[in-house]
Amino acid sequence: MSIFFVIVAGVLWGTMSLFVRNLSDAGFDNYQMMLVRSLLSAVFFGLAILFTDRKKFIVKLKDLWIFAGSGILSLAFFSVCYFAAIIECGAGTAVVLLYTSPVFILILAFLLFNEQISAVKIAAIIMAVSGCTLVAGFDGASSVSLKGLLLGLGAGFGYALYSVFGKIPLKKYSVLTLIFYTFVFASIAMLPFIREIPVKIYDGSVLLLCGGISVVCTVLPFLFYSAGLKKLDAGKAGIFVTVEPLVGVLTGLLWWGESIDFIKAAGMLLILCAVLICSFDRVKYFLRKHGFKSRMIVDEILVDMKKENGKTGGQDMFRTWMNVPDKNPVNEKIIVIDAGGTNFRSCLVSFDSEGKALISDFEKKAMPATEREYSKYEFFEKIADNIDYLRDKADKIGFCFSYAMNITKDHDGIPNAFSKEIKAKEVLGVPVGKCLRQVLEAHGWNKIQKIVLLNDTVAALLAGKTLSKDYDSYIGFILGTGMNAAFIDEDNSFGDGRQIIVCESGKCDTVPLSDFDVSADKKTDIPGQYPLEKCCSGAYLGKVAFEMLDFARREKLFSRRTCENLREITSLTTIETDDFLQGKKDNPVYRACTCEYDRSVVFQLFDAAVDRCARYASSILAANLIACGRGKNGKKVCITLNGTTLFKTYRLRERLEKYLYEYAYRKCGISYETVTVEDDITTGTAVAALV
């Protein structure tokens, strides 16, 4: 349907001459036609904002010049030229000349943004100029007048200016805001040229023409084109919308009886070929060439989740033998340990008589075994030393151990892999709770009733329960240094009864990997493991971005000087990648780029990596929503989100929310609510020790 919507938009735009010529015959000049079109369109889009989101009316005074530029220098100028060209040289010729705009965009990008022009694009410019020469003709009988040619090219140039002025405000404002104020300023620009109201303005057929030039040739095509862009990238949309000049030419031939000889047809064909060449997107071709795909992978994750126990690859579905409590705890004290990434945190959590969690005695230290290989004895001795200040302050310990592990029925945890560069091979395969209890008792701890092991996603899930809202089920999701999720198997779909299931989502191996992912994986300490996590998590996102940058440098997507500068960059972190996307100039990649064009290419590459991260993360959540089997009875599933990568990376959470809504709610009809809970890991871990 997306392609259909874009084609419909092109067809509607291509019918412009039907309204322009008839309005001209009714006594309207070009300025009056433009005023009618822009004013009615401004009213429509203004009403759309009024009834959807009034905040979109708000713009900063310092930004008004941008909207004035898009409305006056672009829309008003190109429309007046285009209307005049239709009358002067015919619908078919005018619409083809309008489509020289990509060539003007190419030239403007070179002059204003120092964008490099390749040999292929130079050939496109030559083709466009040659096409215009052929369209202009060589004899008086079939030639286009110089005035008509200049008007058509003026329309193309004005339309190209929209890409300059239209690009700037979209960094701050919505498309609706841009369109509304563009039409407002275009209307204002026409007022000085309006000397009188056409006599036939009140004629019924003329009123229909006025409505048609606004609704049929502006509002509807905009809506169809916007709908098409939701699931179709801009490059493909630009190709399919070139049906507009075809419709314009056919309208001229069939409706107005215009004639096109062989030379003029050849010129039109050259112009259209030049447009297609200029529309070629090097960055998107580069990404496709290396197998980089940004799409939802829910089906792949669900297939991987349903593999039999004991599988040799893919994500593990760990049973926790734990459920959410019916009520929040009261009048309890728990020692909490939170070990994950490079940090080791510990504290005391006290629940008061109203169930409110109070955190005290908090300490943060380095995670054991990050600096060198630890033996089993050293590992647990270091943990015991780290929490010795909490000795005997409570008889229950909640231990959030955020690494892949099997949970036993007595709530101990047996780690099977360390994904975050922890160096403690002897700890793999041993019960963490039992070993820690032995060491603590050797240190003189007298009253340890139990030690409960869980990972951070279970803690996040349990923290959602403390919100005391009537949810249908719960999910926990972490996207920080690592990445995984947990849900409640409400219908016993995975066997062993209703309980919280931990999905080691980062280990999912049914996802497509690009050349960048494969190259980055080979340079890690654990090649071949955690393929999905290495596409998304904070520990690896910067590494993938570096490979994208390095591949692009070697394939000369940048200017020569930028390629030389980028050679000096040998690695990137996720923070450095995000700094570039956030526009921070104190950044090695920003300094390496010698022109705005090169920076725009880097931005597209890094932004593609973040967008894929958002799609993959939302796919994990959608798969968990489907697996839990709840959220379709009028009640919502609570999703507790956590993780610095998710919250701090450029537009990552915004996109995750968008993609999850489109798939889970719009496509699958599952109701949910995403929440954040203060101190969720600490609170949830304390709750786990009491379950």
Side-chain angles (χ1 to χ4, degrees), residues 109-125:
F110 173 74
L111 296 175
L112 300 178
F113 306 118
N114 198 24
E115 181 173 331
Q116 303 301 302
I117 299 182
S118 64
V120 173
K121 291 189 175 180
I122 290 175
I125 293 174

Side-chain angles (χ1 to χ4, degrees), residues 353-508:
S353 59
E354 296 179 355
K356 182 179 180 181
L358 304 174
I359 299 172
S360 62
D361 301 280
F362 177 83
E363 285 192 5
K364 177 180 175 182
K365 298 178 180 179
M367 179 66 193
T370 53
E371 75 280 13
R372 62 176 176 83
E373 184 70 32
Y374 271 44
S375 66
K376 183 179 81 170
Y377 174 79
E378 288 179 302
F379 187 80
F380 289 107
E381 277 289 327
K382 185 63 176 177
I383 292 177
D385 290 341
N386 285 349
I387 65 171
D388 194 59
Y389 73 100
L390 294 170
R391 181 189 304 185
D392 296 335
K393 289 191 176 183
D395 60 1
K396 302 180 185 68
I397 297 176
F399 193 167
C400 181
F401 196 67
S402 301
Y403 306 95
M405 61 181 174
N406 291 306
I407 299 296
T408 62
K409 291 186 177 182
D410 59 355
H411 298 143
D412 206 340
I414 301 176
N416 56 56
F418 288 123
S419 63
K420 306 179 182 78
E421 320 303 335
I422 299 300
K423 306 171 183 67
K425 294 179 182 177
E426 289 186 7
V427 178
L428 298 178
V430 303
V432 172
K434 180 179 179 181
C435 292
L436 179 59
R437 180 193 287 268
Q438 291 172 350
V439 173
L440 291 178
E441 289 175 347
H443 278 233
W445 288 55
N446 295 319
K447 50 176 187 177
I448 305 174
Q449 182 177 329
K450 65 177 178 177
I451 299 177
V452 174
L453 269 289
L454 68 157
N455 81 347
D456 50 3
T457 54
V458 177
L461 183 153
L462 291 170
K465 172 63 177 176
T466 65
L467 295 176
S468 300
K469 293 180 69 173
D470 187 23
Y471 289 114
D472 204 23
S473 191
Y474 298 87
I475 288 174
F477 179 69
I478 310 290
L479 178 50
T481 307
M483 178 183 68
N484 61 351
F487 69 95
I488 302 174
D489 183 14
E490 300 282 1
D491 300 320
N492 193 25
S493 300
F494 292 84
D496 299 316
R498 179 181 182 269
Q499 61 179 294
I500 299 171
I501 303 288
V502 174
C503 309
E504 281 294 334
S505 307
K507 295 178 73 176
C508 179

